[in-house]
Amino acid sequence: MHLDREHCVRAVQSKDARFDGWFFTAVLTTRIYCRPSCPAVPPKPQNMTFYPSAAACQQAGFRACKRCRPDTSPGSPEWNQRADLVARAMRLIADGVVDREGVPGLAARLGYSPRQVERQLLAELGAGPLALARAQRAQTARLLIETTALPMAEIAFAAGFSSIRAFNDTVREVFALSPTELRDRRPRSAHLAPGTLTLRLPFRAPLNPDNLFGHLAATAVPGVEEWRDGAYRRTLRLPYGHGIVALTPRPDHIACRLTLSDLRDLPVAISRCRRMLDLDADPVAIDDQLRTDPFLAPLVDKAPGRRVPRTVDEAEFAVRAVLGQQVSTAAARTHAARLVTAHGTPVDDPEGGLTHLFPSPEALAEVPPESLAMPRTRRTTFTTLVGQLADGTLHLGVESDWAEARAKLLSLPGFGPWTVDVIAMRALGDPDAFLPTDLGIRRAAQELGLPGTPAALTARAAAWRPWRAYAVQYLWATDSHPINFLPV
């Protein structure tokens, strides 16, 4: 995108917010960088240069604009619609792997050498993994400075900096303000409990919250998730501790209230919440593609901007997908709630009814099979899955190669195409996952006049690629689609 200069100039001159996060505009005369929709008067085209990432702008010596705050742009949709090395690396960096494990740890997770990862990221993003992680630390530091009363030393280490000096130098370099000056500019806000932060999660418009929050609320596992006072709330298992998040849809953002046991988990928690709500999607591009089918066009026009509800924990969702095989949503929630009560980690939630973290694969692997209230074949499926997740034979994460993960899942007993595609769509994040055998999809297709058999529907859906997972959301949203057929 950033290499198409004419396209980028037009986007900046029209202040087109659809391109925020796709690329960044650096102004040669002022040495600042902006998002395309910056409200300031656009610079002359000859004074613009374009970069694919905020980290590349910072490496080139540009500082962030104080008006448009480009570090708060939605993420590039590229990283959620691709499964190549660069996309997987970007998802891992957003999940804090570089800060926790360094570049060698990042490379090991991807199965490449550190030099190969560095070379690929530099070629496509103009910055290596350390620079990209540094840009993320700067954004985390700004959030903590502006939303908490923590001492600067605590903020520095919570944001991932190794020293106070590195924290101060980075904040000055990126924002052209010292940490104290940045805090003095913040708006006055209500007092929050220690460890609690209120944030605004941006997204590209339009966003239809009905299917997104409706699905999460309808399939919520008691004790782990709940819908309360207009917000979806759930517990989070995080690298350094645990958290509780409340997410409320607003017209131009998602209001996010986070309570963390360890503030070092802030960037990871934000990344996982954004991923669960699919906030980095490009709804205009997706809907335009789906509108080319005259049978889908009325559904898209009626409620544009549908997202794919995903997950904050890939292993958890895989377990829940197995619990939901061939049973209603209510029955699957009941099964999951029993496991949570018996084997989940207790948490304290003074503001609501959340009681546990969802059990880890290691905890579930210790569950006696005979205690599971399910048919013998599904019990075998469950115990095989959690056993392989616990011992590392099967790994489902943001870095997963989608094709490889699908193949491994299909090799497990009791895993058919429906279960694998549900996991691919909602856990792995494959935007092209499709469910032609799903009863709700087949009923919706029949009602709309689309082919009714899985093979014929799959052939027709080829025109919807690479956004078939979003087509699934529009089909599930038809009036005749019953809640019992929603996958948990």
Side-chain angles (χ1 to χ4, degrees):
M1 175 69 193
H2 72 288
L3 298 176
D4 187 343
R5 181 175 179 81
E6 182 180 350
H7 198 169
C8 290
V9 168
R10 287 203 304 268
V12 172
Q13 290 177 335
S14 62
K15 304 183 188 298
D16 195 333
R18 292 177 301 169
F19 295 98
D20 288 354
W22 277 99
F23 69 90
F24 295 84
T25 306
V27 186
L28 299 173
T29 51
T30 61
R31 304 302 296 175
I32 66 170
Y33 71 94
C34 305
R35 61 170 78 197
S37 65
C38 181
V41 176
K44 296 178 180 179
Q46 61 267 30
N47 293 329
M48 299 182 198
T49 187
F50 304 102
Y51 290 92
S53 65
C57 294
Q58 294 167 19
Q59 273 204 153
F62 295 90
R63 61 176 176 82
C65 174
K66 296 175 185 175
R67 291 191 65 181
C68 71
R69 301 171 71 140
D71 58 313
T72 63
S73 299
S76 172
E78 286 286 307
W79 318 133
N80 286 344
Q81 70 188 53
R82 290 164 42 184
D84 56 19
L85 170 62
V86 172
R88 291 159 57 206
M90 288 300 291
R91 293 197 288 267
L92 281 173
I93 292 170
D95 206 49
V97 167
V98 171
D99 288 334
R100 296 193 301 273
E101 304 174 20
V103 177
L106 172 70
R109 284 179 177 243
L110 294 168
Y112 289 81
S113 71
R115 182 175 296 179
Q116 287 174 305
V117 174
E118 179 93 22
R119 184 170 61 248
Q120 292 269 10
L121 290 174
L122 281 170
E124 186 160 344
L125 291 161
L130 288 176
L132 292 162
R134 177 178 180 267
Q136 181 167 286
R137 284 195 294 272
Q139 180 181 355
T140 303
R142 181 188 63 78
L143 283 172
L144 291 172
I145 289 169
E146 294 182 342
T147 60
T148 74
L150 288 173
M152 294 300 176
E154 291 186 34
I155 290 176
F157 294 112
F161 291 96
S162 59
S163 69
I164 304 296
R165 180 175 181 177
F167 163 70
N168 288 329
D169 290 347
T170 299
V171 170
R172 286 195 184 95
E173 181 180 334
V174 174
F175 303 110
L177 295 168
S178 70
T180 302
E181 291 169 334
L182 199 57
R183 173 165 280 176
D184 289 342
R185 290 168 55 93
R186 68 179 178 176
R188 300 295 178 186
S189 58
H191 175 72
L192 295 175
T196 300
L197 305 97
T198 54
L199 314 168
R200 295 163 60 100
L201 304 183
F203 55 77
R204 292 177 185 82
L207 181 142
N208 187 319
D210 295 347
N211 79 304
L212 190 60
F213 286 90
H215 185 103
L216 293 171
T219 60
V221 175
V224 174
E225 304 164 283
E226 68 174 359
W227 181 261
R228 180 182 292 267
D229 299 329
Y232 167 75
R233 304 178 72 246
R234 73 153 290 150
T235 58
L236 304 170
R237 184 184 302 277
L238 298 165
Y240 295 106
H242 68 270
I244 293 175
V245 64
L247 298 161
T248 308
R250 303 292 189 212
D252 61 347
H253 68 277
I254 301 297
C256 173
R257 181 180 172 94
L258 270 170
T259 303
L260 301 173
S261 61
D262 192 317
L263 285 174
R264 289 177 295 175
D265 284 321
L266 175 60
V268 179
I270 293 174
S271 173
R272 293 183 183 179
C273 290
R274 292 191 63 82
R275 183 171 169 79
M276 176 177 65
L277 300 182
D278 197 18
L279 297 186
D280 291 331
D282 184 352
V284 174
I286 294 166
D287 289 352
D288 284 350
Q289 176 70 20
L290 298 182
R291 280 193 185 97
T292 62
D293 189 312
F295 290 93
L296 287 185
L299 301 180
V300 176
D301 292 336
K302 180 181 178 181
R306 291 192 181 275
R307 301 301 208 270
V308 177
R310 293 193 171 126
T311 182
V312 294
D313 188 317
E314 295 81 5
E316 172 192 316
F317 184 83
V319 170
R320 292 172 61 173
V322 169
L323 294 177
Q325 287 178 333
Q326 301 177 346
V327 298
S328 69
T329 298
R333 293 174 71 236
T334 299
H335 284 314
R338 289 171 182 161
L339 289 176
V340 166
T341 302
H343 307 286
T345 304
V347 298
D348 182 37
D349 176 25
E351 299 181 10
L354 303 181
T355 59
H356 292 80
L357 301 177
F358 195 86
S360 67
E362 292 77 13
L364 292 176
E366 299 297 323
V367 177
E370 60 275 9
S371 69
L372 299 171
M374 58 182 70
R376 181 179 300 176
T377 54
R378 189 139 43 91
R379 188 185 304 166
T380 300
T381 301
F382 177 89
T383 56
T384 303
L385 172 67
V386 297
Q388 292 202 7
L389 288 170
D391 66 18
T393 303
L394 173 66
H395 181 75
L396 302 175
V398 293
E399 74 274 25
S400 296
D401 179 278
W402 295 338
E404 181 182 333
R406 282 172 178 270
K408 288 184 176 180
L409 288 169
L410 277 171
S411 70
L412 300 181
F415 273 77
W418 185 90
T419 305
V420 171
D421 280 318
V422 164
I423 294 172
M425 179 174 65
R426 294 198 53 202
L428 301 179
D430 183 354
D432 201 38
F434 191 49
L435 304 171
T437 62
D438 180 81
L439 183 55
I441 295 298
R442 294 175 64 186
R443 287 186 173 182
Q446 185 177 17
E447 180 180 320
L448 294 171
L450 289 164
T453 65
L457 185 58
T458 299
R460 177 57 179 265
W464 308 340
R465 307 190 75 168
W467 310 119
R468 293 184 301 177
Y470 294 87
V472 167
Q473 305 309 310
Y474 283 105
L475 292 171
W476 269 339
T478 58
D479 291 340
S480 65
H481 179 56
I483 190 66
N484 278 2
F485 297 113
L486 282 171
V488 175

